Amino acid sequence: METRDTSVEVAELIALLESQRQLYVRLRLLADRQRALILNEDTQPLLGLLVERQELVDKLVTLNERLGPYRESWTTIYSCLDEPRRRQVAALLEESNAALGTIITNDNRDTATLRARRQGVANLLGKAETAVRTNAAYVTTAGVKSSLTDAVA
């Protein structure tokens, strides 16, 4: 990308950054809904929500590729912007970064919740397995004792 500040390039940059911000906001809203679904153990809607999130992530990847040429000469481009546009671009980037930070924090929290739940299930399964073994041993031992008492009688 050339480093000259044409109104078309600036308009495209701002449009791309606005699209990025909107996608991050939508992704953050889905992350908020995801939290409620995880807490309520509502699996089916959660799976649908994860599909929606993946679609947004795919759009962000495509958008990121389109922003690549601007990133390559970011210092020059940013320094060529007039003050109002510089503030606009900075605000869009800040909003996107804030939404991304919230998404990452929420996803880490959700991951911890799911890990704890998985560990709880594993513990319950371990206890159930121990109970089955104990019962099986008791039945086997009771059968032997019963055989011995029958033989004595």
mmCIF file of all heavy atoms in Angstrom, residues 10-56:
data_model
loop_
_atom_site.group_PDB
_atom_site.id
_atom_site.type_symbol
_atom_site.label_atom_id
_atom_site.label_comp_id
_atom_site.label_asym_id
_atom_site.label_seq_id
_atom_site.Cartn_x
_atom_site.Cartn_y
_atom_site.Cartn_z
ATOM 1 N N VAL A 10 -8.057 6.523 3.539
ATOM 2 C CA VAL A 10 -8.458 6.827 4.908
ATOM 3 C C VAL A 10 -9.883 6.336 5.144
ATOM 4 O O VAL A 10 -10.179 5.741 6.177
ATOM 5 C CB VAL A 10 -8.319 8.339 5.207
ATOM 6 C CG1 VAL A 10 -8.949 8.683 6.546
ATOM 7 C CG2 VAL A 10 -6.864 8.747 5.166
ATOM 8 N N ALA A 11 -10.754 6.572 4.205
ATOM 9 C CA ALA A 11 -12.148 6.119 4.336
ATOM 10 C C ALA A 11 -12.197 4.603 4.427
ATOM 11 O O ALA A 11 -12.958 4.043 5.234
ATOM 12 C CB ALA A 11 -12.974 6.619 3.154
ATOM 13 N N GLU A 12 -11.381 3.919 3.624
ATOM 14 C CA GLU A 12 -11.357 2.458 3.683
ATOM 15 C C GLU A 12 -10.814 1.982 5.026
ATOM 16 O O GLU A 12 -11.365 1.062 5.644
ATOM 17 C CB GLU A 12 -10.519 1.872 2.548
ATOM 18 C CG GLU A 12 -10.506 0.348 2.587
ATOM 19 C CD GLU A 12 -9.635 -0.292 1.530
ATOM 20 O OE1 GLU A 12 -8.733 0.366 0.983
ATOM 21 O OE2 GLU A 12 -9.851 -1.487 1.277
ATOM 22 N N LEU A 13 -9.742 2.597 5.493
ATOM 23 C CA LEU A 13 -9.173 2.238 6.786
ATOM 24 C C LEU A 13 -10.204 2.396 7.890
ATOM 25 O O LEU A 13 -10.403 1.494 8.715
ATOM 26 C CB LEU A 13 -7.941 3.097 7.093
ATOM 27 C CG LEU A 13 -7.359 2.954 8.504
ATOM 28 C CD1 LEU A 13 -6.869 1.533 8.752
ATOM 29 C CD2 LEU A 13 -6.257 3.975 8.723
ATOM 30 N N ILE A 14 -10.881 3.529 7.915
ATOM 31 C CA ILE A 14 -11.880 3.773 8.955
ATOM 32 C C ILE A 14 -13.036 2.774 8.839
ATOM 33 O O ILE A 14 -13.511 2.256 9.847
ATOM 34 C CB ILE A 14 -12.363 5.239 8.914
ATOM 35 C CG1 ILE A 14 -11.199 6.148 9.384
ATOM 36 C CG2 ILE A 14 -13.610 5.449 9.766
ATOM 37 C CD1 ILE A 14 -11.435 7.622 9.217
ATOM 38 N N ALA A 15 -13.455 2.480 7.622
ATOM 39 C CA ALA A 15 -14.534 1.500 7.427
ATOM 40 C C ALA A 15 -14.104 0.116 7.926
ATOM 41 O O ALA A 15 -14.881 -0.593 8.581
ATOM 42 C CB ALA A 15 -14.939 1.446 5.954
ATOM 43 N N LEU A 16 -12.866 -0.270 7.643
ATOM 44 C CA LEU A 16 -12.363 -1.561 8.105
ATOM 45 C C LEU A 16 -12.273 -1.601 9.634
ATOM 46 O O LEU A 16 -12.664 -2.598 10.256
ATOM 47 C CB LEU A 16 -10.991 -1.861 7.488
ATOM 48 C CG LEU A 16 -10.973 -2.151 5.990
ATOM 49 C CD1 LEU A 16 -9.533 -2.216 5.475
ATOM 50 C CD2 LEU A 16 -11.715 -3.436 5.679
ATOM 51 N N LEU A 17 -11.782 -0.527 10.223
ATOM 52 C CA LEU A 17 -11.677 -0.481 11.683
ATOM 53 C C LEU A 17 -13.056 -0.471 12.344
ATOM 54 O O LEU A 17 -13.245 -1.079 13.407
ATOM 55 C CB LEU A 17 -10.857 0.726 12.130
ATOM 56 C CG LEU A 17 -9.368 0.686 11.765
ATOM 57 C CD1 LEU A 17 -8.689 2.000 12.128
ATOM 58 C CD2 LEU A 17 -8.677 -0.495 12.428
ATOM 59 N N GLU A 18 -13.998 0.190 11.735
ATOM 60 C CA GLU A 18 -15.372 0.189 12.255
ATOM 61 C C GLU A 18 -15.976 -1.209 12.161
ATOM 62 O O GLU A 18 -16.627 -1.677 13.097
ATOM 63 C CB GLU A 18 -16.244 1.200 11.497
ATOM 64 C CG GLU A 18 -17.693 1.220 11.940
ATOM 65 C CD GLU A 18 -17.902 1.593 13.408
ATOM 66 O OE1 GLU A 18 -17.133 2.404 13.951
ATOM 67 O OE2 GLU A 18 -18.849 1.041 14.018
ATOM 68 N N SER A 19 -15.741 -1.885 11.051
ATOM 69 C CA SER A 19 -16.224 -3.267 10.904
ATOM 70 C C SER A 19 -15.588 -4.171 11.951
ATOM 71 O O SER A 19 -16.257 -5.020 12.546
ATOM 72 C CB SER A 19 -15.907 -3.800 9.506
ATOM 73 O OG SER A 19 -16.620 -3.100 8.533
ATOM 74 N N GLN A 20 -14.310 -3.981 12.177
ATOM 75 C CA GLN A 20 -13.596 -4.764 13.186
ATOM 76 C C GLN A 20 -14.206 -4.523 14.569
ATOM 77 O O GLN A 20 -14.463 -5.461 15.326
ATOM 78 C CB GLN A 20 -12.117 -4.386 13.187
ATOM 79 C CG GLN A 20 -11.285 -5.148 14.194
ATOM 80 C CD GLN A 20 -9.838 -4.687 14.187
ATOM 81 O OE1 GLN A 20 -9.562 -3.493 14.202
ATOM 82 N NE2 GLN A 20 -8.927 -5.627 14.158
ATOM 83 N N ARG A 21 -14.443 -3.279 14.895
ATOM 84 C CA ARG A 21 -15.035 -2.928 16.189
ATOM 85 C C ARG A 21 -16.399 -3.592 16.348
ATOM 86 O O ARG A 21 -16.704 -4.186 17.385
ATOM 87 C CB ARG A 21 -15.169 -1.418 16.340
ATOM 88 C CG ARG A 21 -15.688 -0.983 17.716
ATOM 89 C CD ARG A 21 -16.146 0.466 17.722
ATOM 90 N NE ARG A 21 -17.304 0.686 16.881
ATOM 91 C CZ ARG A 21 -18.570 0.377 17.224
ATOM 92 N NH1 ARG A 21 -18.831 -0.164 18.386
ATOM 93 N NH2 ARG A 21 -19.573 0.618 16.385
ATOM 94 N N GLN A 22 -17.225 -3.519 15.301
ATOM 95 C CA GLN A 22 -18.562 -4.119 15.357
ATOM 96 C C GLN A 22 -18.488 -5.635 15.548
ATOM 97 O O GLN A 22 -19.265 -6.209 16.322
ATOM 98 C CB GLN A 22 -19.350 -3.789 14.093
ATOM 99 C CG GLN A 22 -19.774 -2.345 14.002
ATOM 100 C CD GLN A 22 -20.391 -1.992 12.655
ATOM 101 O OE1 GLN A 22 -20.525 -2.831 11.773
ATOM 102 N NE2 GLN A 22 -20.771 -0.733 12.495
ATOM 103 N N LEU A 23 -17.558 -6.267 14.860
ATOM 104 C CA LEU A 23 -17.405 -7.720 15.013
ATOM 105 C C LEU A 23 -16.967 -8.085 16.431
ATOM 106 O O LEU A 23 -17.462 -9.047 17.017
ATOM 107 C CB LEU A 23 -16.409 -8.272 13.986
ATOM 108 C CG LEU A 23 -16.912 -8.317 12.541
ATOM 109 C CD1 LEU A 23 -15.771 -8.655 11.585
ATOM 110 C CD2 LEU A 23 -18.058 -9.308 12.388
ATOM 111 N N TYR A 24 -16.049 -7.310 16.997
ATOM 112 C CA TYR A 24 -15.606 -7.575 18.364
ATOM 113 C C TYR A 24 -16.744 -7.348 19.365
ATOM 114 O O TYR A 24 -16.883 -8.096 20.336
ATOM 115 C CB TYR A 24 -14.392 -6.732 18.747
ATOM 116 C CG TYR A 24 -13.092 -7.325 18.288
ATOM 117 C CD1 TYR A 24 -12.201 -6.593 17.516
ATOM 118 C CD2 TYR A 24 -12.733 -8.623 18.643
ATOM 119 C CE1 TYR A 24 -10.993 -7.133 17.096
ATOM 120 C CE2 TYR A 24 -11.530 -9.175 18.229
ATOM 121 C CZ TYR A 24 -10.671 -8.426 17.454
ATOM 122 O OH TYR A 24 -9.474 -8.972 17.040
ATOM 123 N N VAL A 25 -17.542 -6.331 19.139
ATOM 124 C CA VAL A 25 -18.687 -6.084 20.025
ATOM 125 C C VAL A 25 -19.662 -7.260 19.943
ATOM 126 O O VAL A 25 -20.139 -7.759 20.967
ATOM 127 C CB VAL A 25 -19.383 -4.748 19.681
ATOM 128 C CG1 VAL A 25 -20.743 -4.627 20.355
ATOM 129 C CG2 VAL A 25 -18.486 -3.577 20.072
ATOM 130 N N ARG A 26 -19.963 -7.714 18.744
ATOM 131 C CA ARG A 26 -20.859 -8.866 18.582
ATOM 132 C C ARG A 26 -20.268 -10.111 19.236
ATOM 133 O O ARG A 26 -20.974 -10.880 19.885
ATOM 134 C CB ARG A 26 -21.142 -9.117 17.098
ATOM 135 C CG ARG A 26 -22.041 -8.050 16.481
ATOM 136 C CD ARG A 26 -22.212 -8.191 14.992
ATOM 137 N NE ARG A 26 -22.693 -9.512 14.616
ATOM 138 C CZ ARG A 26 -22.590 -10.004 13.385
ATOM 139 N NH1 ARG A 26 -22.041 -9.295 12.414
ATOM 140 N NH2 ARG A 26 -23.060 -11.209 13.110
ATOM 141 N N LEU A 27 -18.978 -10.311 19.072
ATOM 142 C CA LEU A 27 -18.303 -11.455 19.675
ATOM 143 C C LEU A 27 -18.359 -11.372 21.205
ATOM 144 O O LEU A 27 -18.578 -12.374 21.893
ATOM 145 C CB LEU A 27 -16.856 -11.503 19.186
ATOM 146 C CG LEU A 27 -16.087 -12.793 19.326
ATOM 147 C CD1 LEU A 27 -16.794 -13.949 18.637
ATOM 148 C CD2 LEU A 27 -14.697 -12.627 18.723
ATOM 149 N N ARG A 28 -18.192 -10.167 21.736
ATOM 150 C CA ARG A 28 -18.281 -9.976 23.184
ATOM 151 C C ARG A 28 -19.690 -10.287 23.694
ATOM 152 O O ARG A 28 -19.858 -10.920 24.732
ATOM 153 C CB ARG A 28 -17.896 -8.548 23.574
ATOM 154 C CG ARG A 28 -17.727 -8.392 25.094
ATOM 155 C CD ARG A 28 -17.666 -6.956 25.544
ATOM 156 N NE ARG A 28 -19.000 -6.390 25.405
ATOM 157 C CZ ARG A 28 -19.263 -5.226 24.837
ATOM 158 N NH1 ARG A 28 -18.319 -4.473 24.356
ATOM 159 N NH2 ARG A 28 -20.500 -4.789 24.756
ATOM 160 N N LEU A 29 -20.701 -9.887 22.958
ATOM 161 C CA LEU A 29 -22.082 -10.192 23.359
ATOM 162 C C LEU A 29 -22.329 -11.701 23.356
ATOM 163 O O LEU A 29 -22.994 -12.233 24.253
ATOM 164 C CB LEU A 29 -23.076 -9.474 22.437
ATOM 165 C CG LEU A 29 -23.090 -7.949 22.548
ATOM 166 C CD1 LEU A 29 -23.982 -7.341 21.465
ATOM 167 C CD2 LEU A 29 -23.545 -7.512 23.929
ATOM 168 N N LEU A 30 -21.787 -12.377 22.356
ATOM 169 C CA LEU A 30 -21.913 -13.836 22.318
ATOM 170 C C LEU A 30 -21.165 -14.474 23.489
ATOM 171 O O LEU A 30 -21.634 -15.461 24.072
ATOM 172 C CB LEU A 30 -21.408 -14.399 20.990
ATOM 173 C CG LEU A 30 -22.290 -14.130 19.769
ATOM 174 C CD1 LEU A 30 -21.640 -14.688 18.512
ATOM 175 C CD2 LEU A 30 -23.678 -14.712 19.951
ATOM 176 N N ALA A 31 -20.024 -13.925 23.841
ATOM 177 C CA ALA A 31 -19.261 -14.451 24.977
ATOM 178 C C ALA A 31 -20.060 -14.289 26.266
ATOM 179 O O ALA A 31 -20.031 -15.170 27.137
ATOM 180 C CB ALA A 31 -17.911 -13.744 25.085
ATOM 181 N N ASP A 32 -20.794 -13.188 26.388
ATOM 182 C CA ASP A 32 -21.644 -12.980 27.561
ATOM 183 C C ASP A 32 -22.769 -14.015 27.607
ATOM 184 O O ASP A 32 -23.058 -14.587 28.653
ATOM 185 C CB ASP A 32 -22.235 -11.568 27.566
ATOM 186 C CG ASP A 32 -21.189 -10.480 27.754
ATOM 187 O OD1 ASP A 32 -20.065 -10.791 28.208
ATOM 188 O OD2 ASP A 32 -21.494 -9.315 27.444
ATOM 189 N N ARG A 33 -23.395 -14.265 26.463
ATOM 190 C CA ARG A 33 -24.447 -15.293 26.387
ATOM 191 C C ARG A 33 -23.868 -16.674 26.669
ATOM 192 O O ARG A 33 -24.495 -17.510 27.309
ATOM 193 C CB ARG A 33 -25.107 -15.292 25.001
ATOM 194 C CG ARG A 33 -26.161 -14.238 24.849
ATOM 195 C CD ARG A 33 -26.926 -14.292 23.533
ATOM 196 N NE ARG A 33 -27.138 -15.605 22.981
ATOM 197 C CZ ARG A 33 -27.122 -15.884 21.676
ATOM 198 N NH1 ARG A 33 -26.895 -14.932 20.792
ATOM 199 N NH2 ARG A 33 -27.323 -17.107 21.245
ATOM 200 N N GLN A 34 -22.655 -16.897 26.183
ATOM 201 C CA GLN A 34 -21.990 -18.182 26.394
ATOM 202 C C GLN A 34 -21.857 -18.461 27.885
ATOM 203 O O GLN A 34 -22.085 -19.585 28.337
ATOM 204 C CB GLN A 34 -20.622 -18.160 25.730
ATOM 205 C CG GLN A 34 -19.763 -19.379 26.010
ATOM 206 C CD GLN A 34 -18.412 -19.264 25.342
ATOM 207 O OE1 GLN A 34 -18.338 -19.166 24.133
ATOM 208 N NE2 GLN A 34 -17.356 -19.264 26.138
ATOM 209 N N ARG A 35 -21.492 -17.463 28.641
ATOM 210 C CA ARG A 35 -21.309 -17.629 30.085
ATOM 211 C C ARG A 35 -22.593 -18.143 30.732
ATOM 212 O O ARG A 35 -22.568 -19.076 31.536
ATOM 213 C CB ARG A 35 -20.884 -16.294 30.714
ATOM 214 C CG ARG A 35 -20.709 -16.341 32.215
ATOM 215 C CD ARG A 35 -19.494 -17.132 32.570
ATOM 216 N NE ARG A 35 -19.283 -17.112 34.011
ATOM 217 C CZ ARG A 35 -18.561 -18.008 34.632
ATOM 218 N NH1 ARG A 35 -17.969 -18.965 33.977
ATOM 219 N NH2 ARG A 35 -18.417 -17.940 35.921
ATOM 220 N N ALA A 36 -23.719 -17.525 30.385
ATOM 221 C CA ALA A 36 -24.998 -17.940 30.958
ATOM 222 C C ALA A 36 -25.325 -19.379 30.566
ATOM 223 O O ALA A 36 -25.799 -20.168 31.389
ATOM 224 C CB ALA A 36 -26.107 -16.997 30.501
ATOM 225 N N LEU A 37 -25.065 -19.742 29.322
ATOM 226 C CA LEU A 37 -25.357 -21.105 28.863
ATOM 227 C C LEU A 37 -24.476 -22.124 29.579
ATOM 228 O O LEU A 37 -24.931 -23.220 29.923
ATOM 229 C CB LEU A 37 -25.176 -21.203 27.343
ATOM 230 C CG LEU A 37 -26.184 -20.399 26.512
ATOM 231 C CD1 LEU A 37 -25.802 -20.420 25.038
ATOM 232 C CD2 LEU A 37 -27.597 -20.912 26.715
ATOM 233 N N ILE A 38 -23.229 -21.781 29.815
ATOM 234 C CA ILE A 38 -22.327 -22.686 30.526
ATOM 235 C C ILE A 38 -22.790 -22.862 31.967
ATOM 236 O O ILE A 38 -22.853 -23.978 32.475
ATOM 237 C CB ILE A 38 -20.869 -22.175 30.461
ATOM 238 C CG1 ILE A 38 -20.321 -22.392 29.049
ATOM 239 C CG2 ILE A 38 -19.987 -22.854 31.501
ATOM 240 C CD1 ILE A 38 -18.967 -21.764 28.805
ATOM 241 N N LEU A 39 -23.138 -21.763 32.616
ATOM 242 C CA LEU A 39 -23.576 -21.846 34.012
ATOM 243 C C LEU A 39 -24.865 -22.650 34.147
ATOM 244 O O LEU A 39 -25.070 -23.339 35.143
ATOM 245 C CB LEU A 39 -23.749 -20.450 34.602
ATOM 246 C CG LEU A 39 -22.459 -19.661 34.797
ATOM 247 C CD1 LEU A 39 -22.761 -18.244 35.267
ATOM 248 C CD2 LEU A 39 -21.533 -20.368 35.776
ATOM 249 N N ASN A 40 -25.734 -22.546 33.144
ATOM 250 C CA ASN A 40 -27.003 -23.286 33.168
ATOM 251 C C ASN A 40 -26.881 -24.685 32.573
ATOM 252 O O ASN A 40 -27.887 -25.389 32.471
ATOM 253 C CB ASN A 40 -28.088 -22.505 32.420
ATOM 254 C CG ASN A 40 -28.460 -21.235 33.142
ATOM 255 O OD1 ASN A 40 -28.460 -21.183 34.365
ATOM 256 N ND2 ASN A 40 -28.766 -20.188 32.392
ATOM 257 N N GLU A 41 -25.680 -25.051 32.147
ATOM 258 C CA GLU A 41 -25.424 -26.355 31.526
ATOM 259 C C GLU A 41 -26.390 -26.610 30.364
ATOM 260 O O GLU A 41 -26.917 -27.707 30.199
ATOM 261 C CB GLU A 41 -25.487 -27.471 32.568
ATOM 262 C CG GLU A 41 -24.433 -27.322 33.640
ATOM 263 C CD GLU A 41 -24.411 -28.461 34.632
ATOM 264 O OE1 GLU A 41 -24.828 -29.580 34.276
ATOM 265 O OE2 GLU A 41 -23.962 -28.227 35.773
ATOM 266 N N ASP A 42 -26.592 -25.585 29.562
ATOM 267 C CA ASP A 42 -27.515 -25.625 28.427
ATOM 268 C C ASP A 42 -26.721 -25.932 27.155
ATOM 269 O O ASP A 42 -26.360 -25.035 26.396
ATOM 270 C CB ASP A 42 -28.239 -24.281 28.334
ATOM 271 C CG ASP A 42 -29.586 -24.386 27.677
ATOM 272 O OD1 ASP A 42 -29.911 -25.457 27.124
ATOM 273 O OD2 ASP A 42 -30.327 -23.384 27.725
ATOM 274 N N THR A 43 -26.462 -27.204 26.928
ATOM 275 C CA THR A 43 -25.503 -27.647 25.917
ATOM 276 C C THR A 43 -25.934 -27.343 24.485
ATOM 277 O O THR A 43 -25.134 -26.843 23.699
ATOM 278 C CB THR A 43 -25.263 -29.163 26.061
ATOM 279 O OG1 THR A 43 -24.902 -29.424 27.414
ATOM 280 C CG2 THR A 43 -24.158 -29.623 25.155
ATOM 281 N N GLN A 44 -27.153 -27.656 24.123
ATOM 282 C CA GLN A 44 -27.574 -27.501 22.726
ATOM 283 C C GLN A 44 -27.477 -26.058 22.242
ATOM 284 O O GLN A 44 -26.867 -25.787 21.211
ATOM 285 C CB GLN A 44 -28.995 -28.063 22.564
ATOM 286 C CG GLN A 44 -29.270 -28.747 21.253
ATOM 287 C CD GLN A 44 -28.186 -29.713 20.782
ATOM 288 O OE1 GLN A 44 -27.616 -30.493 21.536
ATOM 289 N NE2 GLN A 44 -27.883 -29.646 19.515
ATOM 290 N N PRO A 45 -28.047 -25.094 22.984
ATOM 291 C CA PRO A 45 -27.882 -23.694 22.557
ATOM 292 C C PRO A 45 -26.414 -23.250 22.579
ATOM 293 O O PRO A 45 -26.002 -22.428 21.769
ATOM 294 C CB PRO A 45 -28.700 -22.901 23.568
ATOM 295 C CG PRO A 45 -29.684 -23.864 24.119
ATOM 296 C CD PRO A 45 -28.997 -25.206 24.095
ATOM 297 N N LEU A 46 -25.623 -23.802 23.509
ATOM 298 C CA LEU A 46 -24.203 -23.459 23.586
ATOM 299 C C LEU A 46 -23.491 -23.864 22.301
ATOM 300 O O LEU A 46 -22.683 -23.097 21.769
ATOM 301 C CB LEU A 46 -23.548 -24.122 24.795
ATOM 302 C CG LEU A 46 -22.044 -23.910 24.954
ATOM 303 C CD1 LEU A 46 -21.714 -22.426 25.094
ATOM 304 C CD2 LEU A 46 -21.511 -24.695 26.149
ATOM 305 N N LEU A 47 -23.808 -25.040 21.789
ATOM 306 C CA LEU A 47 -23.174 -25.487 20.545
ATOM 307 C C LEU A 47 -23.537 -24.564 19.382
ATOM 308 O O LEU A 47 -22.679 -24.219 18.562
ATOM 309 C CB LEU A 47 -23.573 -26.932 20.236
ATOM 310 C CG LEU A 47 -23.035 -27.970 21.225
ATOM 311 C CD1 LEU A 47 -23.607 -29.355 20.903
ATOM 312 C CD2 LEU A 47 -21.526 -27.994 21.234
ATOM 313 N N GLY A 48 -24.792 -24.133 19.315
ATOM 314 C CA GLY A 48 -25.201 -23.183 18.277
ATOM 315 C C GLY A 48 -24.482 -21.854 18.407
ATOM 316 O O GLY A 48 -24.055 -21.256 17.415
ATOM 317 N N LEU A 49 -24.331 -21.401 19.642
ATOM 318 C CA LEU A 49 -23.628 -20.145 19.894
ATOM 319 C C LEU A 49 -22.166 -20.246 19.476
ATOM 320 O O LEU A 49 -21.608 -19.312 18.894
ATOM 321 C CB LEU A 49 -23.728 -19.788 21.380
ATOM 322 C CG LEU A 49 -23.081 -18.471 21.761
ATOM 323 C CD1 LEU A 49 -23.979 -17.693 22.696
ATOM 324 C CD2 LEU A 49 -21.737 -18.711 22.400
ATOM 325 N N LEU A 50 -21.545 -21.389 19.729
ATOM 326 C CA LEU A 50 -20.142 -21.570 19.337
ATOM 327 C C LEU A 50 -19.984 -21.528 17.819
ATOM 328 O O LEU A 50 -18.974 -21.024 17.315
ATOM 329 C CB LEU A 50 -19.596 -22.870 19.912
ATOM 330 C CG LEU A 50 -19.444 -22.885 21.442
ATOM 331 C CD1 LEU A 50 -19.048 -24.273 21.934
ATOM 332 C CD2 LEU A 50 -18.453 -21.835 21.906
ATOM 333 N N VAL A 51 -20.979 -22.012 17.099
ATOM 334 C CA VAL A 51 -20.948 -21.913 15.630
ATOM 335 C C VAL A 51 -21.005 -20.440 15.217
ATOM 336 O O VAL A 51 -20.246 -20.004 14.344
ATOM 337 C CB VAL A 51 -22.112 -22.721 15.006
ATOM 338 C CG1 VAL A 51 -22.263 -22.404 13.527
ATOM 339 C CG2 VAL A 51 -21.901 -24.216 15.212
ATOM 340 N N GLU A 52 -21.879 -19.680 15.871
ATOM 341 C CA GLU A 52 -21.977 -18.241 15.578
ATOM 342 C C GLU A 52 -20.654 -17.537 15.864
ATOM 343 O O GLU A 52 -20.209 -16.683 15.096
ATOM 344 C CB GLU A 52 -23.059 -17.578 16.436
ATOM 345 C CG GLU A 52 -24.468 -17.852 16.010
ATOM 346 C CD GLU A 52 -25.456 -17.100 16.905
ATOM 347 O OE1 GLU A 52 -25.451 -15.847 16.877
ATOM 348 O OE2 GLU A 52 -26.212 -17.775 17.633
ATOM 349 N N ARG A 53 -20.045 -17.891 16.993
ATOM 350 C CA ARG A 53 -18.764 -17.277 17.341
ATOM 351 C C ARG A 53 -17.700 -17.589 16.296
ATOM 352 O O ARG A 53 -16.920 -16.713 15.916
ATOM 353 C CB ARG A 53 -18.284 -17.765 18.715
ATOM 354 C CG ARG A 53 -18.984 -17.076 19.861
ATOM 355 C CD ARG A 53 -18.326 -17.373 21.164
ATOM 356 N NE ARG A 53 -16.987 -16.786 21.211
ATOM 357 C CZ ARG A 53 -16.243 -16.739 22.295
ATOM 358 N NH1 ARG A 53 -16.683 -17.223 23.434
ATOM 359 N NH2 ARG A 53 -15.037 -16.206 22.264
ATOM 360 N N GLN A 54 -17.675 -18.829 15.826
ATOM 361 C CA GLN A 54 -16.684 -19.204 14.819
ATOM 362 C C GLN A 54 -16.885 -18.410 13.533
ATOM 363 O O GLN A 54 -15.917 -18.007 12.888
ATOM 364 C CB GLN A 54 -16.734 -20.708 14.540
ATOM 365 C CG GLN A 54 -15.642 -21.173 13.603
ATOM 366 C CD GLN A 54 -14.241 -20.866 14.133
ATOM 367 O OE1 GLN A 54 -13.915 -21.220 15.248
ATOM 368 N NE2 GLN A 54 -13.424 -20.209 13.331
ATOM 369 N N GLU A 55 -18.134 -18.180 13.167
ATOM 370 C CA GLU A 55 -18.418 -17.379 11.966
ATOM 371 C C GLU A 55 -17.868 -15.964 12.120
ATOM 372 O O GLU A 55 -17.288 -15.405 11.180
ATOM 373 C CB GLU A 55 -19.925 -17.349 11.694
ATOM 374 C CG GLU A 55 -20.475 -18.683 11.227
ATOM 375 C CD GLU A 55 -21.996 -18.742 11.198
ATOM 376 O OE1 GLU A 55 -22.661 -17.743 11.569
ATOM 377 O OE2 GLU A 55 -22.524 -19.799 10.792
ATOM 378 N N LEU A 56 -18.042 -15.384 13.296
ATOM 379 C CA LEU A 56 -17.507 -14.043 13.540
ATOM 380 C C LEU A 56 -15.981 -14.043 13.528
ATOM 381 O O LEU A 56 -15.355 -13.124 12.999
ATOM 382 C CB LEU A 56 -18.026 -13.488 14.872
ATOM 383 C CG LEU A 56 -19.514 -13.159 14.924
ATOM 384 C CD1 LEU A 56 -19.897 -12.655 16.307
ATOM 385 C CD2 LEU A 56 -19.890 -12.142 13.859
#
